[in-house]
Amino acid sequence: KELSYNNIVDSELAYELVNEFSESSCTIVKHANPCGVASSSNQLIAYKNALETDRESAFGGVVAFNKKIEKKVAIEISKLFTELVIAPKFSSDALLHLRKKKNLILIESKKKKKKNLLNLDIKSTKKFVLIQNFDTKKIEQKKVSFVTNQKPKKKEFEDLIFAQIVSKYMNSNAIVLVKDKKTISLSSGQTSRVEAARIAINKLQMNDVKIIKKLENIVLASDGFFPFPDIIKLCS
């Protein structure tokens, strides 16, 4: 099966995002936006956590991994209609299993280089070609200042960095809710940052009301500027 325009756009985004993490990770992308991202020491858990963010949107999506795919993960992938799977390697058992799926596209990716030779982000409009440096900046804890009385714990700070990385690959305005290095709810492409937050919170409530009572210390990240406390009030 030939790659479509959407396949190329989504697979590139998924590949770039999943390779931001050193721990075994999974990213699911649909129509140029992540709909689930997770990291774990266990690849199967990473996939399941990414999928549970928004199983409905993941249907027919692009799934990317930053580690070799094993058979047990391939079996889980096969349970849901998936358009494309991209990974640096497929085990022979995983490949044997995934090849049974008609029209499923499998891409074995090269290892991501630490430094892109061009390091350019190129986009085009009808009349213009836009070129800028690709955003490769890493968040370092020692360079982050906390202006609140309550400081984040170590795990919360790790989740905040994780959430901020995910937001970098979403259409603005983006809101990312994360717990334990897995996206809980996502909202992107809204003209209002407040509406983006409202959608993400409402999606969480609609998915499972019980989960809200169990989850504490969820972190929120956005690519937008918060000039007012409106989103903070929505979260409280």
Side-chain angles (χ1 to χ4, degrees), residues 99-140:
R99 278 177 172 163
K100 295 176 183 178
K101 300 290 289 184
K102 188 178 179 181
N103 292 328
L104 174 62
I105 301 169
L106 304 177
I107 296 178
E108 192 170 283
S109 61
K110 291 182 178 179
K111 188 176 180 181
K112 183 173 172 61
K113 295 179 180 179
K114 290 186 178 180
K115 193 170 184 180
N116 188 329
L117 292 176
L118 287 176
N119 198 28
L120 297 175
D121 191 10
I122 304 170
K123 296 189 186 313
S124 64
T125 67
K126 201 170 183 180
K127 296 181 179 180
F128 302 97
V129 175
L130 311 174
I131 303 173
Q132 64 180 0
N133 290 331
F134 191 77
D135 181 8
T136 57
K137 187 175 181 180
K138 302 291 183 183
I139 302 171
E140 298 179 41

Side-chain angles (χ1 to χ4, degrees), residues 113-222:
K113 295 179 180 179
K114 290 186 178 180
K115 193 170 184 180
N116 188 329
L117 292 176
L118 287 176
N119 198 28
L120 297 175
D121 191 10
I122 304 170
K123 296 189 186 313
S124 64
T125 67
K126 201 170 183 180
K127 296 181 179 180
F128 302 97
V129 175
L130 311 174
I131 303 173
Q132 64 180 0
N133 290 331
F134 191 77
D135 181 8
T136 57
K137 187 175 181 180
K138 302 291 183 183
I139 302 171
E140 298 179 41
Q141 186 168 356
K142 60 184 179 181
K143 293 184 179 179
V144 175
S145 60
F146 302 108
V147 296
T148 53
N149 292 328
Q150 184 176 328
K151 313 301 179 189
K153 297 173 184 176
K154 184 176 181 292
K155 284 189 71 174
E156 290 171 338
F157 185 76
E158 290 174 352
D159 280 348
L160 283 166
I161 293 177
F162 181 93
Q164 195 67 55
I165 290 170
V166 174
S167 73
K168 182 172 108 174
Y169 289 87
M170 298 174 68
N171 291 324
S172 190
N173 288 299
I175 294 290
V176 183
L177 300 179
V178 165
K179 171 72 175 177
D180 295 332
K181 293 183 182 177
K182 59 183 178 183
T183 50
I184 303 299
S185 187
L186 300 166
S187 177
S188 63
Q190 301 303 312
T191 52
S192 162
R193 59 183 175 76
V194 180
E195 182 61 17
R198 193 177 290 119
I199 289 171
I201 294 167
N202 288 341
K203 279 173 67 177
L204 177 62
Q205 292 171 338
M206 286 188 294
N207 284 343
D208 193 345
V209 177
K210 294 179 182 178
I211 200 172
I212 301 170
K213 296 179 180 178
K214 295 179 181 179
L215 291 173
E216 294 181 352
N217 303 321
I218 301 173
V219 306
L220 181 151
S222 175

Side-chain angles (χ1 to χ4, degrees), residues 89-100:
K89 199 78 177 174
F90 295 83
S91 71
S92 55
D93 288 340
L95 205 56
L96 193 66
H97 191 83
L98 290 171
R99 278 177 172 163
K100 295 176 183 178

Side-chain angles (χ1 to χ4, degrees), residues 76-88:
E76 286 299 314
I77 292 170
S78 299
K79 292 178 181 179
L80 183 75
F81 169 57
T82 300
E83 181 79 13
L84 184 151
V85 180
I86 181 169

